Amino acid sequence: MPSVVKLPRKNHLDLAQRILEVARQQGMRPGAHLPEQQLATLCNVSRTPIRAALKVLAERGVATRESDAGYRLAVDLSLPADFDSGLPRAEEAALADAILRDRAARRLGGTITVTELMRRYNADRRTVLKAVLSLTDDDILQRAPGQSWVFRPIPDSPQSIAASFEYRLLLEPAAVLVPGFQLDGVKAAALRHGMEALLSRPDSEFGTREFQRLDIEFHRLIAQGCANPFIADALAGHLRLRELPGHAGSVNVFRLRQSTQEHLGILDNLEARQYEVAADLLKVHLRLSGNQRPQAANRGAPPLQGLIRRLV
Amino acid sequence: MKIDRPPTIALFPEASFGAALNCVGIAQALRDRGARPVFICHGGFSGVFADYGFQEYHLPAAGTPSDTANYWQDFIKRHLPHFDMSPIDQIETYVAPTWEAIVDTAVEAEAPLGQLLARIRPDVVVLDNVVMFPAIAAAGCPWVRVVSCAETELPDAAVPPYLSGLAAADEAGRRAFEARYLAATEKVHARFNAFRAETGLKPLPRGQFLEASPDLNLLLTPTIVKYERKVPLDAERFFYLEGCVRSEAPFQIPDFPRNKGPLVYVSFGSLGALDVKLIQRMLDVFAGLPARFLVNVGGMRDAYEAVPDNVHLDAWFPQPSVVQKSDLFIHHGGNNSFCEALYFGTPSLIMPYCWDGHDNARRAEETGVGRRLDRARWTPEDLSAAILGLLGDEAMRERLAANGEAMRRRPGTARAADAILSLVTNVPSKVRG
C-alpha cells in the first residue's frame, strides 16, 4: 500500500518559500542577515513561525545559523538553482502529489472519498482532509454530494490539452499587452541563466524535467507580470494544472531546444519593453507548442487527429 | 558564380508512425552531414516532422476531420475482430481491403505528388512505403526504396511469404497461403497495373505492388534475424541497415507507487492502443507480477480505471529512449519496434495484430531473440509465464546485449545517410559523405 513519510508542517514550508521570495525581491546577497522581525512584518506573521521556517531553510543549507546574529542567507538567489523545489514537501503536500500522480495514471477513479484515500495511503483523516482541501483550493478537486470529491478536468488528453492551448493563446499574449506589465527582473535573470545552461547540454544529457520546470516558471513569470489581477489569477490557476503529472507530453530534443530559444526571444523583448513583439512571439510559441501527433495511423488509412470513442 | 547549395533529399514515408519515425532517424543523420532533408507527407501528419526541425510539404488530405473520425470508428468496428484471426484468414478480411485502400492512396497522390516534386526539385527521393508512386520514377533524380517492413517484403524462394507468419521450411503452408493471397489480391493488383500502365510504368508480377529501385534499396533487417536467401540480393543496390533508430530525448522513468522490479515497456503502436479490451486484460495480469510496466494507451487513457500500482499509462513515449532502459519490450511486431528492441539488446514478446507483425513474431522465435504470443488466445498464466520467462532468460539477454552493442557501433541511420548521399552528384565539399 503506498504511504507518505512524516514530513515538516506545511505552514512552515510555505513560510520558508515566502521568505525566499522576500529575500529575492529585496535583492539579498549570500551572507545577508535574515532579520526575524522584519521578515515577520513582511510576511504578516509573528516571529515564532518565522523562526521555525528559518530552521527549515537552515536544514536544507539555504540559510546558516549564527548563535548571536540569528540567520544569514547561504545561497545566491539570482542563480538558476531551484532552492524552492529543494525544500522537503509537507506531509499533506506529498500526499496531494501522490493523489495527483495516481489520478494521472488512472490508479484513482474520477470520484474519491476520504476513507478510500486513508486506506490507500495509510494516512490519518486530518492529513487526507488537508491534502483534499488544498487540491480543492487549486480547483483540481470539487466537492460532490455526500462525502466524495470529483476531479475537475485537467489537460491530460489530446482534446483537453488542445483546449488548454486555446485558452492560453487567448490570455497569455493579452497578459503582456495590458498596460502596466511589470517583469520581475531578478526572476527573469535566473530563468535566463537556467535556460542557457540547459541549451548548453548535449542532446544525450538534455533534462526533460528541467525543461518542464523552466517552461512552467517562464509562463508563470508572464502571468505574474500582468497588471490586470483577474487575468493574472486566471492564468496562474491554469498554469498550475500544467505542473500536474500526466500533463507533460514527451517531445523530442529538437523541439525542446527550439522552444527554449523561443522563451529567450520573448524574454529579450519583455526586457526591452517591446511588449507587442513579445506578445506576437508568444502567440507563435504557443501555436508551435500546441501541435499534436495524429492519434492513430495505419497504412492505407487517413491519420486520425483527435479522439476516437471507446468501442470495446 | 556557382552556388554551393546542400543537396535536398525528399523523404516520403507512408502515413504510419513506423515509416515516419524511421525516416526521421535517416533525416537526422542526413542533416548531421550537411544535407537538407525535407518531408513529403499526408496532411494528417502535419507538424510531426516540423517538430524534429524538418521542412514539411503536404499532400492534400481527402475528406474532413469528421470524415476521418467516422472512418476510424468504422475501421475499428470492422477490423478488430479480424486481428484475432490467423494470418491466412486475414487475407480476405483485412489484407486485400487494405491493399485496395493503399492503391487508392497511390492513385490520389499521383498528380499532387508530381507537382510537389517539380517544386522541390530534390537531388534524391527516399520512398518508405509498400506501394509505388509513379511520379517518383518520373522525378528526374535517383530514388531510394526503404524496406521498413520485415525482410519478407522482398520475395525469395527461401523466405516465407510476406504477411504469412510462416516458418521458412513450411512448404505446404507456403503453397496454401500464396494461392489464397494471389486470388484475393488479383483484382486490386490488376487495377494497380492498369494505373501504372497509364503513367508509363511496366506491370509488376502478381502479388507485388512496389519494385526495387534501380538506384538504391535499404533494408532495416539486422543480421541476427536475416534469412539465407536462395537468390542473394545484389550487394551493389541492396544495403542492410542493421536497424534504423532515431534519436529522442532521454527518458526519465516515472515514480510508481510499487517502485520495484524490472522495467517492461508495452506498446502496440497507435492502432493497437485502440484495443482497450486486450490491454485491460493484460493490466490485470501485470498487477500480480514483480515488475514495473510502462503502457502506451494513446488517447484512450480515460478508458481505464483502477490501474495497478506497478503500471504507468501514458499517451505517448519517446520509444527508443524507453526501450533503451527497459528489460523487456512487449509489442505488436511492427518492424520499427522490433529493430529498436534489437538495437538496444532488449528481448521482445510479440503479440501481432496484422501485416508483417506475424512475420517478425515468427522470426523472433526462430532466431531466439524473443517469443510470440497469440493476442487472441492466451490465459493469464500464459502471459505471466512468457514475461517471467523472458525476464529470467540470462542467455538470451547476454546474446542480445552483445548484438545490440554491435548494431550501435555503426547505426543504421548513418549507413542510410551515407548510402543516400553517395547517389548525389556534385556533393558540395561541406557535406560530409
Side-chain angles (χ1 to χ4, degrees), chain A residues 170-184 217-236 239 270 275 282:
Chain A
L170 289 173
L171 274 194
E172 286 196 41
V176 172
L177 292 174
V178 170
F181 183 86
Q182 284 270 336
L183 185 73
D184 180 332
E217 281 302 316
F218 171 77
H219 289 280
R220 188 178 285 142
L221 183 69
I222 287 173
Q224 286 167 347
C226 181
N228 181 316
F230 300 111
I231 295 179
D233 274 1
L235 267 179
L239 291 172
L270 288 175
Y275 297 127
L282 192 51

Side-chain angles (χ1 to χ4, degrees), chain A residues 198-217:
Chain A
L198 184 65
L199 286 175
S200 70
R201 290 190 209 166
D203 284 4
S204 57
E205 291 168 23
F206 197 91
T208 47
R209 283 190 190 153
E210 175 66 356
F211 169 83
Q212 200 186 358
R213 186 184 75 76
L214 291 167
D215 180 50
I216 288 168
E217 281 302 316

Side-chain angles (χ1 to χ4, degrees), chain A residues 1-3 98 101-110 120-121 155-158 160-161 202-212 245-256 258 288-312, chain B residues 14-17 21 31 42-48 50-53 68-69 71-73 75-77 80 94 98 101-102 105 130 149 247-250 252-257 270-271 274-277 298-314 316-318 355-356:
Chain A
M1 181 179 292
S3 62
R101 174 199 65 191
D102 291 344
R103 171 59 191 154
R106 297 301 183 267
R107 296 182 194 112
L108 289 174
R120 177 174 170 81
Y121 296 104
D156 70 347
S157 72
S160 56
I161 289 172
D203 284 4
S204 57
E205 291 168 23
F206 197 91
T208 47
R209 283 190 190 153
E210 175 66 356
F211 169 83
Q212 200 186 358
H247 167 267
S250 301
V251 193
N252 68 80
V253 174
F254 183 92
R255 176 60 203 147
L256 299 183
Q258 194 179 49
L288 289 171
S289 301
N291 183 49
Q292 293 196 17
R293 291 164 183 263
Q295 290 306 301
N298 190 43
R299 52 180 52 95
L304 173 71
Q305 296 288 349
L307 287 179
I308 195 159
R309 288 195 307 276
R310 185 179 175 181
L311 288 170
V312 285
Chain B
E14 68 176 337
S16 70
F17 278 111
L21 297 175
R31 180 168 57 194
H42 187 286
F45 267 66
S46 171
V48 169
D51 265 0
Y52 288 92
T68 307
Y71 174 96
W72 275 93
Q73 292 289 350
F75 180 94
I76 295 298
K77 205 187 293 181
L80 263 192
Y94 179 71
T98 300
I102 291 169
T105 63
V130 293
C149 279
S247 137
E248 289 283 359
Q252 284 163 311
I253 299 171
D255 180 32
F256 293 79
S270 65
L271 180 60
L274 300 174
D275 192 350
V276 173
K277 200 171 155 191
M300 306 301 283
R301 196 194 319 236
D302 276 333
Y304 298 90
E305 287 171 1
V307 172
D309 283 350
N310 60 339
V311 173
H312 175 87
L313 309 181
D314 218 327
W316 191 80
F317 289 91
W355 218 258
D356 61 332

